[in-house]
């Protein structure tokens, strides 16, 4: 195939069963039905419907390029139909992430998150899909920095000639809607000087400097900013291509062995540790969390997702590798619970809660209003 393939992940929380836990299976089935139609109509080449916690993730391949109205429209309609079911079943927060009645051809600014990359499919194309719940896009900045900028994580940066050429990192200022592309290794320390401020900066995209094309893309649609007020954390996804001049699958996974604190837990207002787990184990079970991260992998096969399903299985039925499922991650999970518990020990005090500007919920303006007359100047 010479034509470039586009891999799109469009995701939304349109309601779940028992608080913010898990979309009802019939909502996921409805999305599958809608995407099967889209596949028949030739809008998309292939798809896989999955979830992390209460978010439905639509993985799609097509030859239409990024931001295509038909692909975005298909995802939007799937979420609308899933919402109808959610409302009928009185699911919690039904339709939460669909912020407009007048869809204008692109999910950007309309509520759902999206990450898309267009590239020439290589002879063999191993792909990873990270999906997080109860956190924000900048949660990927630390692990992606380790993967693409840190030779103590990715030995390939030292010993693979193509990886050694480095990577271009597109950084978004999610508050002021600005972007900049910086190059590693030359500008690594300056890159980290920005990314360290996770309230403002997040990695959007990473591109190979040896001509392989895009290597990672994150959904950075800051929902709270989009809606003009906080309506929930983004629960971002990250699409990655790996191997042969890019970080190996194992190099992508390695940083998740570290326990990382991220923002967005409980009421979008707390800090908790990232808990790597399988898709099946991604229901939030402790204080609406801890923030979950899943990682599934597919090969691409001429624009189709190739998992471990039998070769003659039906289109749209796929079985990815679920990388965080196994026992090797048990001690990381247990460390994540320990770290999260430690944060919980602070109750409503910082650093367990976010800085005032980042809180999704706050009662402070009302409290201060009530106190107006009682507030006195210090002597
Ligand atoms: C939502 C989430 C939850 C909610 C919390 C309060 O995905 O992360 O932690 O923020 O359960 O929800 P409401 O305000 O709907 O009662
Ligand atoms: Mg939710
Ligand atoms: Mg969620």
């Amino acid at each position: 195939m010479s034509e470039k393939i586009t891999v799109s992940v469009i995701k939304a929380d349109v309601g779940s069963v028992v608080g913010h836990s898990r979309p009802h299976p019939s909502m996921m089935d409805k999305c599958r039905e809608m995407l099967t139609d889209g596949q028949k109509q030739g809008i998309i080449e292939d798809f896989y419907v999955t979830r992390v916690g209460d978010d439905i993730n639509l993985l799609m391949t097509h030859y239409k390029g990024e931001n295509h109205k038909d692909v975005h429209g298909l995802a939007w309609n799937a979420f609308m139909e899933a919402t109808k079911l959610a409302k009928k079943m009185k699911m919690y927060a039904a339709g939460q992430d669909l912020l407009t009645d007048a869809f204008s051809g692109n999910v950007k600014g309309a509520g759902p998150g999206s990450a898309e990359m267009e590239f020439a499919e290589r002879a063999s194309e191993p792909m990873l899909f990270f999906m997080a719940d109860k956190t924000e896009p900048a949660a990927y900045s630390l692990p992606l920095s380790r993967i693409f900028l840190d030779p103590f994580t990715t030995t390939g940066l030292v010993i693979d000639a193509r990886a050694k050429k480095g990577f271009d990192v597109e950084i978004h200022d999610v508050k002021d809607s600005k972007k900049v592309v910086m190059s590693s290794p030359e500008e690594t320390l300056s890159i980290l000087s920005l990314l360290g401020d996770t309230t403002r900066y997040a990695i959007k995209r990473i591109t190979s400097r040896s001509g392989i094309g895009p290597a990672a893309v994150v959904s950075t649609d800051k929902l709270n900013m989009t809606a003009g007020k906080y309506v929930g954390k983004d629960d971002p996804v990250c699409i990655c291509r790996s191997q042969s001049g890019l970080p190996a699958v194992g190099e992508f996974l390695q940083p998740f062995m570290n326990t990382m604190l991220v923002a967005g837990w409980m009421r979008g207002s707390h800090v908790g540790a990232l808990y790597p787990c399988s898709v099946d184990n991604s229901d939030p079970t402790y204080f609406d969390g801890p923030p979950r991260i899943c990682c599934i992998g597919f090969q691409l096969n001429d624009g189709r997702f190739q998992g471990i399903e039998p070769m003659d299985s039906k289109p749209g039925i796929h079985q990815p590798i679920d990388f965080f499922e196994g026992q090797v991650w048990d001690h990381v999970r247990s460390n994540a619970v320990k770290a999260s518990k430690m944060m919980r020990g602070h109750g409503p005090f910082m650093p367990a809660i976010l800085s005032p500007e980042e809180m999704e919920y706050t009662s402070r303006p009302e409290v201060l209003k009530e106190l107006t007359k009682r507030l006195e100047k210090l002597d």
Side-chain angles (χ1 to χ4, degrees):
M1 289 244 169
S2 57
E3 216 181 340
K4 283 189 172 178
I5 184 80
T6 302
V7 178
S8 303
V9 180
I10 303 188
K11 49 87 40 195
D13 173 355
V14 290
S16 43
V17 58
V18 193
H20 293 274
S21 300
R22 175 200 298 220
H24 191 276
S26 64
M27 295 162 64
M28 311 264 296
D29 283 342
K30 180 50 84 178
C31 290
R32 288 185 189 103
E33 199 183 302
M34 296 291 290
L35 296 197
T36 303
D37 274 357
Q39 190 180 30
K40 282 186 190 142
Q41 288 169 42
I43 298 172
I44 51 173
E45 188 69 18
D46 201 4
F47 68 89
Y48 182 67
V49 176
T50 183
R51 61 120 190 170
V52 55
D54 56 3
D55 293 275
I56 300 181
N57 293 259
L58 310 177
L59 278 53
M60 298 173 286
T61 60
H62 53 92
Y63 291 97
K64 297 192 165 5
E66 294 173 25
N67 292 313
H68 196 280
K69 63 176 186 357
D70 294 352
V71 176
H72 281 234
L74 179 64
W76 180 265
N77 290 336
F79 289 135
M80 289 287 277
E81 290 303 313
T83 296
K84 279 187 201 158
L85 278 182
K87 286 190 169 155
K88 212 163 151 190
M89 290 183 288
K90 294 192 79 174
M91 291 287 109
Y92 195 67
Q96 175 193 278
D97 284 355
L98 305 185
L99 304 178
T100 173
D101 296 328
F103 179 68
S104 64
N106 195 303
V107 295
K108 280 206 179 87
S114 67
E116 303 187 276
M117 55 159 76
E118 188 183 20
F119 53 90
E121 185 182 318
R122 296 175 291 172
S124 186
E125 191 69 69
M127 299 200 69
L128 297 176
F129 298 85
F130 291 93
M131 310 178 292
D133 187 30
K134 319 295 182 206
T135 189
E136 57 174 10
Y140 289 115
S141 294
L142 195 165
L144 285 176
S145 299
R146 284 195 190 265
I147 295 161
F148 287 95
L149 314 182
D150 173 18
F152 285 81
T153 298
T154 297
T155 313
L157 295 173
V158 181
I159 63 177
D160 176 320
R162 286 182 295 173
K164 193 165 175 279
K165 286 201 173 140
F167 293 90
D168 287 331
V169 184
E170 181 180 320
I171 297 173
H172 282 198
D173 173 337
V174 290
K175 287 189 176 161
D176 278 350
S177 290
K178 287 185 179 162
K179 63 178 179 181
V180 62
V181 178
M182 298 172 80
S183 297
S184 164
E186 299 88 331
E187 296 183 289
T188 297
L189 301 181
S190 299
I191 292 172
L192 293 176
S193 140
L194 295 188
L195 292 178
D197 177 358
T198 50
T199 66
R200 178 177 282 273
Y201 298 103
I203 295 177
K204 173 65 193 177
R205 199 176 284 270
I206 299 182
T207 310
S208 153
R209 288 170 76 191
S210 61
I212 302 170
V217 61
V218 179
S219 62
T220 47
D221 324 63
K222 227 173 152 114
L223 251 185
N224 51 312
M225 299 299 158
T226 306
K229 62 181 174 73
Y230 279 98
V231 289
K233 288 289 170 191
D234 308 56
D235 303 337
V237 292
C238 173
I239 310 176
C240 302
R241 294 167 74 210
S242 81
Q243 307 285 157
S244 305
L246 300 175
V249 169
E251 288 167 335
F252 271 104
L253 301 174
Q254 132 106 67
F256 294 93
M257 275 279 153
N258 301 312
T259 303
M260 293 173 266
L261 293 170
V262 297
W265 187 18
M266 178 54 91
R267 300 181 183 275
S269 306
H270 290 77
V271 175
L274 214 46
Y275 182 96
C277 61
S278 66
V279 169
D280 285 344
N281 192 23
S282 68
D283 297 350
T285 49
Y286 163 39
F287 199 60
D288 283 2
R292 295 295 211 261
I293 179 129
C294 295
C295 176
I296 58 170
F298 282 115
Q299 290 287 136
L300 277 195
N301 182 358
D302 290 340
R304 298 269 170 135
F305 290 119
Q306 178 68 60
I308 48 176
E309 61 279 358
M311 278 186 74
D312 55 356
S313 62
K314 289 186 193 136
I317 303 296
H318 297 300
Q319 208 183 332
I321 302 275
D322 192 330
F323 282 100
F324 291 146
E325 189 172 32
Q327 283 177 354
V328 74
W329 297 96
D330 283 352
H331 84 279
V332 187
R333 288 190 266 271
S334 124
N335 283 344
V337 172
K338 263 187 224 154
S340 300
K341 229 177 123 188
M342 196 267 275
M343 295 308 279
R344 285 306 310 124
H346 297 78
F349 283 80
M350 289 171 84
I353 60 161
L354 304 185
S355 62
E357 323 77 69
E358 291 291 307
M359 296 280 285
E360 185 178 335
Y361 290 63
T362 179
S363 58
R364 188 168 313 140
E366 293 91 83
V367 172
L368 286 171
K369 202 171 156 201
E370 276 168 25
L371 292 177
T372 319
K373 289 194 180 134
R374 289 162 59 191
L375 273 170
E376 293 173 40
K377 279 234 153 29
L378 287 175
D379 297 333

Short mmCIF file of all heavy atoms in Angstrom, two decimals, residues 146-195:
data_model
loop_
_atom_site.label_atom_id
_atom_site.label_comp_id
_atom_site.label_asym_id
_atom_site.label_seq_id
_atom_site.Cartn_x
_atom_site.Cartn_y
_atom_site.Cartn_z
N ARG A 146 10.76 10.20 29.30
CA ARG A 146 11.69 9.09 29.59
C ARG A 146 11.89 8.22 28.35
O ARG A 146 12.99 7.79 28.05
CB ARG A 146 11.15 8.24 30.73
CG ARG A 146 11.32 8.87 32.10
CD ARG A 146 11.10 7.81 33.16
NE ARG A 146 11.01 8.35 34.50
CZ ARG A 146 12.05 8.43 35.33
NH1 ARG A 146 13.23 8.04 34.95
NH2 ARG A 146 11.88 8.92 36.54
N ILE A 147 10.81 7.96 27.64
CA ILE A 147 10.89 7.05 26.48
C ILE A 147 11.72 7.67 25.35
O ILE A 147 12.56 7.00 24.75
CB ILE A 147 9.46 6.71 25.98
CG1 ILE A 147 8.70 5.91 27.03
CG2 ILE A 147 9.52 5.95 24.65
CD1 ILE A 147 7.18 5.90 26.85
N PHE A 148 11.48 8.95 25.05
CA PHE A 148 12.09 9.55 23.86
C PHE A 148 13.32 10.40 24.14
O PHE A 148 14.07 10.71 23.22
CB PHE A 148 11.06 10.40 23.11
CG PHE A 148 10.03 9.57 22.38
CD1 PHE A 148 8.81 9.27 22.96
CD2 PHE A 148 10.31 9.05 21.12
CE1 PHE A 148 7.87 8.50 22.30
CE2 PHE A 148 9.38 8.27 20.44
CZ PHE A 148 8.15 7.99 21.03
N LEU A 149 13.51 10.81 25.41
CA LEU A 149 14.62 11.73 25.69
C LEU A 149 15.66 11.13 26.63
O LEU A 149 16.72 11.73 26.81
CB LEU A 149 14.10 13.04 26.32
CG LEU A 149 12.89 13.75 25.72
CD1 LEU A 149 12.61 15.04 26.46
CD2 LEU A 149 13.10 14.04 24.25
N ASP A 150 15.35 10.01 27.25
CA ASP A 150 16.23 9.52 28.31
C ASP A 150 16.92 8.20 27.93
O ASP A 150 16.30 7.15 27.90
CB ASP A 150 15.38 9.32 29.58
CG ASP A 150 16.16 8.66 30.71
OD1 ASP A 150 17.41 8.66 30.65
OD2 ASP A 150 15.51 8.15 31.65
N PRO A 151 18.23 8.27 27.68
CA PRO A 151 18.96 7.06 27.28
C PRO A 151 19.05 6.02 28.39
O PRO A 151 19.36 4.86 28.13
CB PRO A 151 20.34 7.59 26.91
CG PRO A 151 20.45 8.91 27.55
CD PRO A 151 19.07 9.46 27.71
N PHE A 152 18.76 6.44 29.64
CA PHE A 152 18.78 5.46 30.73
C PHE A 152 17.48 4.66 30.75
O PHE A 152 17.37 3.67 31.46
CB PHE A 152 19.03 6.16 32.07
CG PHE A 152 20.46 6.58 32.23
CD1 PHE A 152 20.92 7.75 31.64
CD2 PHE A 152 21.37 5.78 32.90
CE1 PHE A 152 22.25 8.12 31.75
CE2 PHE A 152 22.71 6.14 33.01
CZ PHE A 152 23.15 7.32 32.42
N THR A 153 16.49 5.11 29.96
CA THR A 153 15.27 4.33 29.78
C THR A 153 15.36 3.58 28.45
O THR A 153 15.22 2.37 28.39
CB THR A 153 14.02 5.25 29.74
OG1 THR A 153 13.93 5.92 30.98
CG2 THR A 153 12.76 4.45 29.50
N THR A 154 15.59 4.36 27.39
CA THR A 154 15.61 3.79 26.04
C THR A 154 17.04 3.65 25.57
O THR A 154 17.65 4.60 25.06
CB THR A 154 14.77 4.68 25.09
OG1 THR A 154 13.42 4.66 25.58
CG2 THR A 154 14.79 4.19 23.67
N THR A 155 17.60 2.48 25.75
CA THR A 155 18.98 2.25 25.34
C THR A 155 19.12 2.45 23.84
O THR A 155 20.18 2.81 23.33
CB THR A 155 19.42 0.82 25.75
OG1 THR A 155 19.02 0.61 27.10
CG2 THR A 155 20.92 0.63 25.64
N GLY A 156 18.00 2.26 23.12
CA GLY A 156 18.01 2.48 21.67
C GLY A 156 18.49 3.87 21.28
O GLY A 156 19.06 4.07 20.21
N LEU A 157 18.28 4.86 22.17
CA LEU A 157 18.73 6.23 21.87
C LEU A 157 20.26 6.27 21.76
O LEU A 157 20.82 7.16 21.14
CB LEU A 157 18.27 7.21 22.95
CG LEU A 157 16.76 7.41 23.10
CD1 LEU A 157 16.45 8.27 24.32
CD2 LEU A 157 16.18 8.07 21.84
N VAL A 158 20.92 5.28 22.37
CA VAL A 158 22.38 5.23 22.34
C VAL A 158 22.86 4.27 21.25
O VAL A 158 23.78 4.57 20.50
CB VAL A 158 22.93 4.76 23.71
CG1 VAL A 158 24.45 4.71 23.71
CG2 VAL A 158 22.41 5.64 24.83
N ILE A 159 22.17 3.12 21.12
CA ILE A 159 22.76 2.06 20.29
C ILE A 159 22.00 1.75 18.99
O ILE A 159 22.41 0.87 18.25
CB ILE A 159 22.94 0.75 21.12
CG1 ILE A 159 21.59 0.21 21.61
CG2 ILE A 159 23.89 0.98 22.29
CD1 ILE A 159 21.72 -1.11 22.38
N ASP A 160 20.90 2.47 18.72
CA ASP A 160 20.21 2.28 17.44
C ASP A 160 20.45 3.55 16.62
O ASP A 160 20.02 4.64 17.01
CB ASP A 160 18.70 2.06 17.71
CG ASP A 160 17.87 1.94 16.44
OD1 ASP A 160 18.14 2.69 15.46
OD2 ASP A 160 16.95 1.11 16.42
N ALA A 161 21.14 3.43 15.48
CA ALA A 161 21.58 4.61 14.72
C ALA A 161 20.42 5.55 14.38
O ALA A 161 20.58 6.77 14.42
CB ALA A 161 22.28 4.15 13.45
N ARG A 162 19.25 4.98 14.05
CA ARG A 162 18.14 5.86 13.66
C ARG A 162 17.51 6.55 14.87
O ARG A 162 17.19 7.74 14.83
CB ARG A 162 17.09 5.07 12.87
CG ARG A 162 17.56 4.77 11.45
CD ARG A 162 16.52 4.04 10.66
NE ARG A 162 16.28 2.71 11.21
CZ ARG A 162 15.31 1.90 10.80
NH1 ARG A 162 14.48 2.29 9.85
NH2 ARG A 162 15.17 0.69 11.32
N ALA A 163 17.37 5.82 15.96
CA ALA A 163 16.82 6.43 17.18
C ALA A 163 17.77 7.51 17.70
O ALA A 163 17.35 8.53 18.25
CB ALA A 163 16.56 5.37 18.24
N LYS A 164 19.08 7.28 17.49
CA LYS A 164 20.11 8.20 17.99
C LYS A 164 20.02 9.57 17.31
O LYS A 164 20.50 10.57 17.85
CB LYS A 164 21.48 7.56 17.75
CG LYS A 164 22.64 8.20 18.45
CD LYS A 164 23.84 7.27 18.41
CE LYS A 164 25.08 7.91 18.99
NZ LYS A 164 25.77 8.79 18.06
N LYS A 165 19.40 9.63 16.13
CA LYS A 165 19.23 10.93 15.46
C LYS A 165 18.29 11.84 16.24
O LYS A 165 18.23 13.04 16.03
CB LYS A 165 18.70 10.73 14.05
CG LYS A 165 19.77 10.18 13.11
CD LYS A 165 19.42 10.46 11.67
CE LYS A 165 20.58 10.06 10.77
NZ LYS A 165 20.17 9.43 9.55
N GLY A 166 17.50 11.25 17.11
CA GLY A 166 16.66 12.05 18.01
C GLY A 166 15.24 12.24 17.51
O GLY A 166 14.82 11.66 16.50
N PHE A 167 14.51 13.09 18.24
CA PHE A 167 13.08 13.26 17.99
C PHE A 167 12.69 14.73 18.11
O PHE A 167 13.27 15.47 18.91
CB PHE A 167 12.28 12.42 18.99
CG PHE A 167 12.48 10.94 18.77
CD1 PHE A 167 13.51 10.25 19.42
CD2 PHE A 167 11.68 10.24 17.88
CE1 PHE A 167 13.73 8.90 19.18
CE2 PHE A 167 11.88 8.89 17.65
CZ PHE A 167 12.91 8.21 18.30
N ASP A 168 11.72 15.13 17.31
CA ASP A 168 11.13 16.46 17.44
C ASP A 168 9.91 16.35 18.34
O ASP A 168 9.06 15.47 18.15
CB ASP A 168 10.70 17.00 16.06
CG ASP A 168 11.89 17.41 15.22
OD1 ASP A 168 12.92 17.80 15.82
OD2 ASP A 168 11.80 17.31 13.98
N VAL A 169 9.83 17.26 19.29
CA VAL A 169 8.74 17.20 20.27
C VAL A 169 7.86 18.43 20.13
O VAL A 169 8.34 19.56 20.29
CB VAL A 169 9.32 17.14 21.71
CG1 VAL A 169 8.19 16.97 22.74
CG2 VAL A 169 10.32 15.99 21.85
N GLU A 170 6.61 18.22 19.78
CA GLU A 170 5.66 19.36 19.70
C GLU A 170 5.00 19.51 21.07
O GLU A 170 4.36 18.58 21.57
CB GLU A 170 4.61 19.09 18.62
CG GLU A 170 3.62 20.23 18.46
CD GLU A 170 2.58 19.94 17.36
OE1 GLU A 170 2.94 19.40 16.29
OE2 GLU A 170 1.40 20.24 17.61
N ILE A 171 5.20 20.68 21.65
CA ILE A 171 4.68 20.93 23.00
C ILE A 171 3.53 21.93 22.92
O ILE A 171 3.66 22.95 22.22
CB ILE A 171 5.80 21.48 23.91
CG1 ILE A 171 6.92 20.43 24.03
CG2 ILE A 171 5.27 21.86 25.28
CD1 ILE A 171 8.15 20.92 24.75
N HIS A 172 2.45 21.64 23.58
CA HIS A 172 1.32 22.58 23.59
C HIS A 172 1.22 23.29 24.93
O HIS A 172 1.40 22.67 25.98
CB HIS A 172 0.00 21.84 23.32
CG HIS A 172 -0.18 21.52 21.87
ND1 HIS A 172 -1.37 21.20 21.31
CD2 HIS A 172 0.72 21.48 20.85
CE1 HIS A 172 -1.23 20.98 20.01
NE2 HIS A 172 0.04 21.13 19.72
N ASP A 173 0.95 24.57 24.84
CA ASP A 173 0.59 25.34 26.02
C ASP A 173 -0.94 25.27 26.03
O ASP A 173 -1.61 25.96 25.25
CB ASP A 173 1.10 26.79 25.84
CG ASP A 173 0.63 27.71 26.95
OD1 ASP A 173 -0.40 27.40 27.59
OD2 ASP A 173 1.27 28.75 27.14
N VAL A 174 -1.49 24.39 26.87
CA VAL A 174 -2.93 24.13 26.79
C VAL A 174 -3.77 25.28 27.36
O VAL A 174 -4.97 25.33 27.10
CB VAL A 174 -3.33 22.80 27.49
CG1 VAL A 174 -2.84 21.60 26.71
CG2 VAL A 174 -2.82 22.73 28.91
N LYS A 175 -3.13 26.19 28.06
CA LYS A 175 -3.90 27.32 28.60
C LYS A 175 -3.99 28.46 27.60
O LYS A 175 -5.04 29.07 27.43
CB LYS A 175 -3.29 27.80 29.92
CG LYS A 175 -3.55 26.82 31.05
CD LYS A 175 -3.16 27.37 32.39
CE LYS A 175 -3.53 26.40 33.49
NZ LYS A 175 -2.78 26.67 34.73
N ASP A 176 -2.86 28.75 26.92
CA ASP A 176 -2.86 29.89 25.99
C ASP A 176 -3.00 29.46 24.54
O ASP A 176 -2.84 30.28 23.62
CB ASP A 176 -1.56 30.69 26.16
CG ASP A 176 -1.66 31.65 27.33
OD1 ASP A 176 -2.79 31.80 27.84
OD2 ASP A 176 -0.64 32.21 27.75
N SER A 177 -3.27 28.16 24.30
CA SER A 177 -3.41 27.64 22.94
C SER A 177 -2.25 28.05 22.03
O SER A 177 -2.43 28.65 20.98
CB SER A 177 -4.72 28.14 22.31
OG SER A 177 -5.80 27.54 22.93
N LYS A 178 -1.03 27.71 22.49
CA LYS A 178 0.16 27.97 21.67
C LYS A 178 0.90 26.65 21.51
O LYS A 178 0.71 25.73 22.31
CB LYS A 178 1.09 28.96 22.38
CG LYS A 178 0.56 30.37 22.36
CD LYS A 178 1.60 31.30 22.96
CE LYS A 178 1.10 32.74 22.91
NZ LYS A 178 1.83 33.59 23.82
N LYS A 179 1.77 26.58 20.48
CA LYS A 179 2.58 25.37 20.35
C LYS A 179 3.98 25.70 19.90
O LYS A 179 4.22 26.76 19.30
CB LYS A 179 1.92 24.39 19.39
CG LYS A 179 1.78 24.87 17.97
CD LYS A 179 1.15 23.79 17.10
CE LYS A 179 0.99 24.29 15.68
NZ LYS A 179 0.37 23.32 14.79
N VAL A 180 4.91 24.78 20.20
CA VAL A 180 6.29 24.96 19.77
C VAL A 180 6.86 23.57 19.49
O VAL A 180 6.50 22.61 20.16
CB VAL A 180 7.11 25.72 20.85
CG1 VAL A 180 7.18 24.96 22.16
CG2 VAL A 180 8.52 26.03 20.35
N VAL A 181 7.74 23.48 18.46
CA VAL A 181 8.42 22.21 18.21
C VAL A 181 9.86 22.36 18.64
O VAL A 181 10.55 23.30 18.21
CB VAL A 181 8.33 21.82 16.71
CG1 VAL A 181 9.09 20.52 16.46
CG2 VAL A 181 6.88 21.69 16.26
N MET A 182 10.33 21.46 19.50
CA MET A 182 11.70 21.50 19.98
C MET A 182 12.37 20.16 19.69
O MET A 182 11.69 19.15 19.56
CB MET A 182 11.72 21.81 21.48
CG MET A 182 11.12 23.18 21.79
SD MET A 182 10.93 23.47 23.55
CE MET A 182 12.59 23.92 24.00
N SER A 183 13.70 20.19 19.56
CA SER A 183 14.39 18.97 19.13
C SER A 183 15.26 18.38 20.22
O SER A 183 16.02 19.09 20.87
CB SER A 183 15.26 19.28 17.91
OG SER A 183 14.42 19.68 16.86
N SER A 184 15.14 17.06 20.33
CA SER A 184 16.00 16.32 21.26
C SER A 184 16.98 15.50 20.43
O SER A 184 16.60 15.01 19.37
CB SER A 184 15.11 15.42 22.10
OG SER A 184 15.87 14.45 22.73
N PRO A 185 18.24 15.33 20.79
CA PRO A 185 18.78 15.60 22.13
C PRO A 185 19.21 17.05 22.40
O PRO A 185 19.35 17.41 23.56
CB PRO A 185 20.00 14.67 22.21
CG PRO A 185 20.44 14.49 20.81
CD PRO A 185 19.19 14.56 19.97
N GLU A 186 19.41 17.88 21.35
CA GLU A 186 20.02 19.22 21.59
C GLU A 186 19.28 20.03 22.65
O GLU A 186 19.90 20.69 23.47
CB GLU A 186 20.07 20.05 20.29
CG GLU A 186 20.88 19.45 19.17
CD GLU A 186 20.06 18.51 18.31
OE1 GLU A 186 19.10 17.89 18.82
OE2 GLU A 186 20.37 18.38 17.12
N GLU A 187 17.94 20.02 22.59
CA GLU A 187 17.18 20.92 23.47
C GLU A 187 16.51 20.19 24.63
O GLU A 187 15.56 20.70 25.22
CB GLU A 187 16.11 21.65 22.65
CG GLU A 187 16.66 22.56 21.57
CD GLU A 187 15.56 23.31 20.83
OE1 GLU A 187 14.81 22.67 20.06
OE2 GLU A 187 15.44 24.53 21.04
N THR A 188 17.01 19.00 24.93
CA THR A 188 16.34 18.17 25.95
C THR A 188 16.08 18.93 27.26
O THR A 188 14.98 18.90 27.80
CB THR A 188 17.17 16.90 26.24
OG1 THR A 188 17.22 16.13 25.04
CG2 THR A 188 16.55 16.06 27.34
N LEU A 189 17.10 19.63 27.74
CA LEU A 189 16.93 20.28 29.05
C LEU A 189 15.91 21.41 28.99
O LEU A 189 15.11 21.60 29.91
CB LEU A 189 18.28 20.76 29.58
CG LEU A 189 19.32 19.64 29.76
CD1 LEU A 189 20.63 20.20 30.31
CD2 LEU A 189 18.80 18.53 30.65
N SER A 190 15.88 22.13 27.85
CA SER A 190 14.88 23.20 27.70
C SER A 190 13.48 22.60 27.56
O SER A 190 12.50 23.15 28.08
CB SER A 190 15.19 24.06 26.48
OG SER A 190 16.45 24.65 26.63
N ILE A 191 13.39 21.48 26.87
CA ILE A 191 12.10 20.79 26.74
C ILE A 191 11.57 20.44 28.13
O ILE A 191 10.42 20.70 28.48
CB ILE A 191 12.24 19.49 25.88
CG1 ILE A 191 12.57 19.83 24.42
CG2 ILE A 191 10.98 18.63 25.98
CD1 ILE A 191 12.91 18.64 23.55
N LEU A 192 12.45 19.88 28.95
CA LEU A 192 12.03 19.46 30.30
C LEU A 192 11.70 20.67 31.17
O LEU A 192 10.83 20.58 32.05
CB LEU A 192 13.12 18.61 30.96
CG LEU A 192 13.36 17.25 30.29
CD1 LEU A 192 14.52 16.52 30.95
CD2 LEU A 192 12.10 16.39 30.32
N SER A 193 12.34 21.80 30.88
CA SER A 193 12.05 23.00 31.67
C SER A 193 10.61 23.45 31.44
O SER A 193 9.94 23.94 32.34
CB SER A 193 13.09 24.07 31.34
OG SER A 193 12.52 25.32 31.25
N LEU A 194 10.09 23.25 30.23
CA LEU A 194 8.67 23.54 29.99
C LEU A 194 7.78 22.44 30.57
O LEU A 194 6.84 22.71 31.32
CB LEU A 194 8.38 23.66 28.48
CG LEU A 194 9.03 24.79 27.69
CD1 LEU A 194 8.45 24.84 26.28
CD2 LEU A 194 8.81 26.14 28.37
N LEU A 195 8.09 21.20 30.20
CA LEU A 195 7.17 20.09 30.52
C LEU A 195 6.97 19.88 32.01
O LEU A 195 5.94 19.34 32.44
CB LEU A 195 7.65 18.79 29.88
CG LEU A 195 7.59 18.74 28.35
CD1 LEU A 195 8.15 17.41 27.85
CD2 LEU A 195 6.16 18.94 27.84
#
